[in-house]
């Protein structure tokens, strides 16, 4: 495998990781706020908090990892995306900052504060919308280069059917992924009160998710027909994604195997996300940056890949430890962790 | 003010970094202090120190959160505000940037574990061991990110031909001549600053509640650490001066208003500069600059006139340099004075003026960090990559930087304000004495010891 394919694959895996963990996080924040407003907070709050407390900081790292990695492997992206994304990027930073900080303020500062919960919950929905702009721009057509100067076409972005369908998809899939995870987590915590509520969220957000996916699929055809043709040649991946979706919903509907249901949700998004990514190649930013033309030097690619492997050797055992202690620790999940487990 | 993306990009970067380094410094230094307290508690079987570690860790999370989000901000802003710079430098410094996220990842995982496992292990030492990866993670991320900054001061390990960059050697770029002194000065000064900040909190509490045993123990631990760290910071600072004299003479010359290359050069403290570059009212220490730069009173020091006019840093950096050094020396003496006083006042009733000085030491140390960074950064103007790329060539051409500057100003104002509010509330709501009672160290009705 060439360095550029290896590089983009690694980065895409990380972006996928971010998609899953961040969706759980963003959605959980919103549900937590929603439950607070509708007076059901006491039922779901505990499950959400117990999951989020030890992992919120880790989530953020996936994102940092991706954008540092892409600049390392494909330095041209810094130039094109950097210039064009100043406004949406800054908005995303501000939202991320508000969300991260107010999460900590609300949870570790002693008293629960309604304003903090609102800021945390609302920003969770706006961040996916602003981050998804990057994927929209990558399809091309939203910037022009004249005399070596990049001009970003805001009005085009705001009036494009495609960009709005991506935003919509980002929003609903965040809520869907999160609700499916919380359903699994609540079942594991044997918290029936929470389970009833989050299962309702999961089933409720399933139809919009699949509708929005279809919408995006056809909007790409209008916006970038070449990409659409590539997607059709990989159509088995999107079919597989849809099948995973059906089985997951079936399982949740029948109130069985919530763990498998969530794994199927992850597979559903994996197939769709990697299908989308693979069909996007060789472009990183259509039509300016391809993975072949603007890759970094071999020396840097080798050292990045080495660093990446070394890093993984450190991270995988640590993540395993984190999961053992919190996510997959029956005592902790059920809220009765005591000494010696 | 006319719209100028370069000016606004510089202002926004200064603002973000200036705000971030407050929390970054705390993030690097406080885990060390937490570990010291927890370790002392285990070794001496003294629950006061264990409680100390716990209380510090509780406040630490709040600062980490702000550090994480502002760190993400500066990470993204590098590409958003300086796209042309990142297009070139991104290729040469991708490795340390990448490694920095690994270190950060490592720290994030273990911080989560550390915070939620205080009561989960049979042996207290197991929990203590979890803080070590946090320290390694935070110090390593400081290490890697500082090598990036060192590279901007001493770019090497690549070739630049017609705007294209070739022959990259990632490790040569990373371990450039500026790396050793920069990294060690950053680490030592962060440890020192955090020791003084925690000492300031203990001193503040002692001023309010005299002779409380918990706060006395906290003060002694932090001030002892502060002495060691401030002396190491000063020694490394001296090495940094020698590094500048050898590799970046224009930065040192600007800091010292030293124009003509000469031997036996005095060091100037304070003063003002007249229009024809004459120094007035300054305090001259004979031979001191020669000693600082070259280890000998007769050493030759290159003057600013040897640098072309359009490549000279602004001359106000003199005041920043002076302030940083003065603060550093003052703090080292203060910690010595305290340790001498401890022996004199065995009853723990330290004079109030000493406690007041220690209360000031925390903010002063942080101010020293800010001055030092502004000196280091402004001192390499007009370069963004010294010798390769001027700052204005690296900036974005986007038309909305001014609006973003306003937005981020608001953001940092709100974050800073809430962080202070939450932190002070956190400690006001849980009094040490009550916590000591709750864990059974002190009894209800006892006068706080």
């Amino acid at each position: 495998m060439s360095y550029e394919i290896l590089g983009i694959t690694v980065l895409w895996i990380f972006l996928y990781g971010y998609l899953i963990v961040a969706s759980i996080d963003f959605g959980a924040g919103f549900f937590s706020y929603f439950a607070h407003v509708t007076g059901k907070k006491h039922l779901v709050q505990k499950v959400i908090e117990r999951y989020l407390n030890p992992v919120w900081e880790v989530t953020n790292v996936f994102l940092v990892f991706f954008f540092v990695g892409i600049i390392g492997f494909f330095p041209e992206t810094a130039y094109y995306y950097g210039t064009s994304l100043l406004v949406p990027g800054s908005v995303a930073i501000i939202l991320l900052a508000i969300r991260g900080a107010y999460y900590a303020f609300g949870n570790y500062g002693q008293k629960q504060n309604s304003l903090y919960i609102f800021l945390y919950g609302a920003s969770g929905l706006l961040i996916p919308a602003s981050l998804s702009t990057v994927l929209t721009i990558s399809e091309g057509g939203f910037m022009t280069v004249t005399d070596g100067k990049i001009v970003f076409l805001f009005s085009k972005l705001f009036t494009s059917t495609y960009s709005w369908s991506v935003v919509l998809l980002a929003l609903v899939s965040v809520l869907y992924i999160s609700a499916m995870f919380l359903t699994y987590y609540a079942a594991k915590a044997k918290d029936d009160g929470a389970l009833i509520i989050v299962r309702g969220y999961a089933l409720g957000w399933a139809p919009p998710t699949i509708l929005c996916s279809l919408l995006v699929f056809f909007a790409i055809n209008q916006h970038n027909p070449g990409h659409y043709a590539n997607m059709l040649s990989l159509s088995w991946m999107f079919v597989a994604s849809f099948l995973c979706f059906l089985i997951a919903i079936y399982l949740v509907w029948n109130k069985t195997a919530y763990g498998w249901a969530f794994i199927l949700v992850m597979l559903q998004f994996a197939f769709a996300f990697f299908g989308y990514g693979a069909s996007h190649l060789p472009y990183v930013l259509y039509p300016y940056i391809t993975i072949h033309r603007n890759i970094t030097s071999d020396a840097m690619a080798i050292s990045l890949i080495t660093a990446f492997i070394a890093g993984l050797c450190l991270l995988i055992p640590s993540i395993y430890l984190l999961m053992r202690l919190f996510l997959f620790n029956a005592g902790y999940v059920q809220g009765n962790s005591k000494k010696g487990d | 003010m006319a719209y100028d993306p370069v000016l606004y990009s510089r202002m926004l970067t200064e603002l973000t970094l200036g705000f971030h380094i407050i929390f970054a410094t705390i993030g690097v230094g406080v885990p060390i202090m937490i570990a010291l307290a927890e370790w002392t508690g285990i070794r001496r079987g003294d629950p006061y120190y264990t409680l100390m570690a716990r209380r510090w860790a509780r406040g630490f999370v709040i600062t980490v959160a702000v550090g994480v989000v502002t760190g993400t901000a500066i990470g993204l802003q590098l590409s958003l505000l300086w796209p042309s710079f990142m297009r070139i430098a991104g290729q040469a410094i991708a490795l340390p940037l990448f490694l920095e996220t690994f270190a950060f990842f490592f720290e994030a995982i273990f911080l989560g574990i550390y915070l939620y496992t205080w009561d989960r292990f049979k042996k207290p030492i197991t929990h203590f061991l979890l803080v070590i990866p946090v320290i390694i993670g935070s110090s390593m991320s400081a290490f890697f990110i500082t090598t990036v900054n060192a590279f901007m001061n001493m770019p090497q390990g690549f070739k630049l031909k017609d705007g294209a960059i070739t022959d990259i050697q990632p490790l040569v770029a990373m371990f450039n001549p500026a790396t050793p002194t920069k990294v060690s000065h950053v680490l030592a000064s962060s440890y020192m600053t955090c020791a003084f900040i925690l000492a300031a909190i203990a001193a503040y509490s002692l001023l309010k509640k005299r002779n409380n045993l918990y706060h006395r123990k906290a003060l002694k631990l932090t001030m002892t650490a502060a002495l060691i760290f401030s002396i190491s910071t000063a020694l490394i600072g001296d090495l940094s001066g020698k590094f500048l004299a050898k590799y970046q003479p224009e930065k040192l010359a600007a800091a010292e208003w030293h124009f003509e290359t000469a031997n036996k050069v005095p060091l100037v403290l304070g003063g003002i500069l007249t229009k024809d570059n004459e120094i007035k009212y300054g305090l001259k220490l004979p031979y001191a600059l020669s000693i600082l730069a070259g280890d000998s009173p007769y050493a030759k020091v290159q003057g600013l006139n040897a640098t072309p006019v359009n490549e000279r840093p602004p001359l106000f950096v003199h005041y920043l340099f002076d302030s940083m050094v003065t603060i550093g020396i003052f703090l080292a003496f203060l910690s010595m004075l305290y340790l001498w006083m401890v022996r004199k006042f065995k009853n723990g009733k330290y004079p109030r003026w000493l406690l007041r000085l220690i209360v000031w030491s925390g903010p002063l140390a942080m101010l020293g960090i800010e001055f030092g960074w502004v000196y280091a950064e402004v001192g390499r103007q007009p370069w963004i990559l010294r010798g390769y790329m001027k700052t204005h060539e690296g900036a974005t051409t986007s038309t909305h930087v001014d609006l973003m500057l306003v937005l981020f100003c608001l953001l940092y104002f709100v974050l800073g304000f809430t962080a202070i509010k939450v932190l002070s509330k956190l400690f006001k709501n849980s009094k040490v004495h009550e916590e000591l009672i709750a864990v059974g160290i002190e009894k209800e009705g006892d006068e706080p010891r």
Side-chain angles (χ1 to χ4, degrees), chain B residues 209-268:
Chain B
K209 220 184 248 162
R210 302 211 62 169
N211 214 11
N212 180 303
L213 187 59
Y214 171 87
H215 295 307
R216 257 167 46 210
K217 287 185 172 183
L219 191 63
K220 190 159 179 199
L221 179 76
T222 49
M223 287 303 278
T224 312
L227 175 68
I228 296 165
F229 293 141
S230 52
I231 288 175
S232 0
T233 307
L235 291 177
I236 297 163
D238 179 58
L239 291 177
S240 307
K242 293 185 179 25
F243 158 79
L244 285 182
K246 191 168 172 198
Y247 291 98
Q248 260 182 312
E250 76 280 5
K251 200 191 234 182
L252 187 67
E256 285 307 326
W257 290 345
H258 172 53
F259 294 95
E260 293 296 336
T261 306
N263 306 29
K264 301 187 230 174
V265 190
L267 191 117
V268 183

Side-chain angles (χ1 to χ4, degrees), chain A residues 71 102 300 325 329 339-340, chain B residues 68 79 91 116 119-120 418:
Chain A
I71 291 164
Y102 280 87
M300 185 51 90
L325 283 170
N329 183 298
K339 287 190 185 192
Chain B
V68 168
S79 302
Q91 308 187 50
Y116 288 91
D119 297 316
R120 265 176 88 170
T418 334

Side-chain angles (χ1 to χ4, degrees), chain A residues 14 53-54 56-58 60-65 67-69 71-73 75-76 78-83 85-87 89-90 93-94 96-98 100-102 104-105 108-111 113 116 149-150 154 295-297 299-300 303-304 307-308 311-312 314-315 318-319 321-322 324-326 329 332 337-341, chain B residues 12 58 61-62 64-66 68-70 72-73 75-77 79-81 83-84 86-88 90-102 104-113 115-117 119-122 130 168-170 396-401 404 407-408 411 414-415 418-419 421-422 425-426 429-430:
Chain A
F14 260 83
N53 276 344
W56 65 273
E57 213 193 326
V58 178
N60 215 27
V61 188
F62 275 93
L63 177 66
V64 178
F65 205 101
F67 71 69
V68 169
I71 291 164
F73 276 105
E76 291 287 309
Y79 182 65
Y80 284 94
Y81 280 112
T83 308
L85 279 173
L86 179 73
V87 175
S90 298
I93 298 172
I94 290 173
L96 279 169
I98 289 177
Y102 280 87
F105 295 160
Y108 302 102
Q110 306 229 304
K111 245 200 320 202
N113 181 324
Y116 293 0
K149 207 179 153 185
I150 295 167
F154 271 107
I295 190 170
T296 188
S297 69
M300 185 51 90
S303 66
L304 282 180
F308 181 74
L312 278 190
L314 195 70
L315 286 186
S318 318
I319 294 179
L321 183 66
L322 186 74
R324 268 299 305 274
L325 283 170
F326 299 107
N329 183 298
Y332 176 80
S337 77
K338 273 285 153 252
K339 287 190 185 192
D341 51 356
Chain B
L12 182 47
R58 218 179 289 152
V61 195
I62 305 285
V64 166
V66 183
V68 168
V69 298
T70 51
T72 311
L76 277 163
Q77 276 179 358
S79 302
L80 295 177
L81 298 175
S84 310
M86 282 305 277
R87 185 191 212 172
I88 301 293
Q91 308 187 50
I93 55 178
L95 182 66
L97 277 177
F98 203 59
L99 287 171
E100 199 258 342
T101 46
F102 268 120
F104 174 39
F105 214 144
F106 193 58
E107 182 198 348
I109 289 172
F110 280 92
L111 185 65
I113 297 178
L115 289 174
Y116 288 91
T117 51
D119 297 316
R120 265 176 88 170
F121 302 107
K122 284 194 192 93
L130 289 170
I168 297 167
Q169 297 167 281
T396 181
T397 47
S398 187
T399 43
H400 299 281
V401 192
M404 296 304 117
L407 283 180
F408 277 96
L411 172 74
V414 171
L415 282 188
T418 334
K421 202 178 117 193
V422 169
K425 226 178 180 176
L426 188 68
N429 285 349
S430 72

Side-chain angles (χ1 to χ4, degrees), chain B residues 343-365:
Chain B
R343 307 178 69 154
K344 209 174 141 201
F345 295 88
K346 283 233 163 68
N347 60 1
K349 294 201 163 120
Y350 311 120
R352 293 182 80 80
W353 60 264
L354 179 70
L355 293 176
R356 283 207 190 95
L357 280 181
I358 297 176
V359 170
W360 279 104
S361 73
L364 269 180

Side-chain angles (χ1 to χ4, degrees), chain A residues 257-273:
Chain A
Y258 293 118
W260 282 107
F262 185 69
I263 289 175
L264 284 162
V265 170
M266 293 200 343
L267 283 174
Q268 174 200 338
F269 280 87
F271 278 122
F273 193 68

Side-chain angles (χ1 to χ4, degrees), chain B residues 136-406:
Chain B
I136 295 175
S138 58
S139 291
M140 285 310 273
S141 62
F143 169 82
F144 289 124
I145 209 67
T146 311
T147 65
V148 172
N149 182 269
F151 171 83
M152 291 158 81
N153 282 281
M154 282 277 107
Q156 64 172 36
F158 68 96
K159 280 185 189 137
L160 197 61
K161 258 190 223 152
D162 313 325
I165 173 169
T166 54
D167 291 339
I168 297 167
Q169 297 167 281
L171 290 177
V172 177
M174 201 169 140
F175 293 97
N176 57 70
T179 296
T181 43
K182 243 194 186 196
V183 167
S184 44
H185 198 54
V186 163
L187 287 178
S189 60
S190 300
Y191 300 158
M192 165 188 131
T193 302
C194 291
F196 277 112
I197 288 174
L198 295 172
I201 296 173
Y204 179 78
S205 310
L206 277 178
L207 272 176
K208 289 195 134 181
K209 220 184 248 162
R210 302 211 62 169
N211 214 11
N212 180 303
L213 187 59
Y214 171 87
H215 295 307
R216 257 167 46 210
K217 287 185 172 183
L219 191 63
K220 190 159 179 199
L221 179 76
T222 49
M223 287 303 278
T224 312
L227 175 68
I228 296 165
F229 293 141
S230 52
I231 288 175
S232 0
T233 307
L235 291 177
I236 297 163
D238 179 58
L239 291 177
S240 307
K242 293 185 179 25
F243 158 79
L244 285 182
K246 191 168 172 198
Y247 291 98
Q248 260 182 312
E250 76 280 5
K251 200 191 234 182
L252 187 67
E256 285 307 326
W257 290 345
H258 172 53
F259 294 95
E260 293 296 336
T261 306
N263 306 29
K264 301 187 230 174
V265 190
L267 191 117
V268 183
L269 290 178
I272 53 165
L273 204 61
T274 62
K275 271 183 191 148
D276 12 291
N277 289 344
E278 291 289 322
I279 303 167
K280 270 192 183 168
Y281 314 120
L283 176 66
K284 284 190 181 176
L285 305 177
Y287 304 110
L289 186 58
S290 285
I291 297 173
L292 176 75
D295 251 343
S296 140
Y298 307 105
K300 192 180 198 181
V301 185
Q302 185 183 318
L304 205 52
N305 291 346
T307 309
V309 177
N310 61 354
E311 291 178 10
R312 287 182 201 172
L315 291 171
F316 72 84
V317 293
H318 173 70
Y319 298 108
L320 298 166
F321 185 77
D322 275 8
S323 312
M324 170 186 76
V325 173
T326 313
I327 289 173
I329 291 172
F330 167 72
L331 291 180
F333 277 116
L334 180 65
S335 50
M336 281 185 235
L337 180 70
Y338 164 82
L339 284 180
W340 180 73
M341 292 287 231
V342 172
R343 307 178 69 154
K344 209 174 141 201
F345 295 88
K346 283 233 163 68
N347 60 1
K349 294 201 163 120
Y350 311 120
R352 293 182 80 80
W353 60 264
L354 179 70
L355 293 176
R356 283 207 190 95
L357 280 181
I358 297 176
V359 170
W360 279 104
S361 73
L364 269 180
M366 195 53 91
L367 214 55
I369 296 263
E370 294 277 355
F371 288 147
W373 269 117
V374 179
Y375 164 61
E377 294 307 280
V378 176
R380 75 178 148 95
Q381 292 305 319
W383 300 104
I384 192 166
L385 270 179
R386 184 177 173 272
Y388 288 94
M389 189 186 233
K390 295 263 175 78
T391 305
H392 65 86
E393 298 164 327
T396 181
T397 47
S398 187
T399 43
H400 299 281
V401 192
D402 49 350
L403 179 67
M404 296 304 117
L405 178 65
V406 176

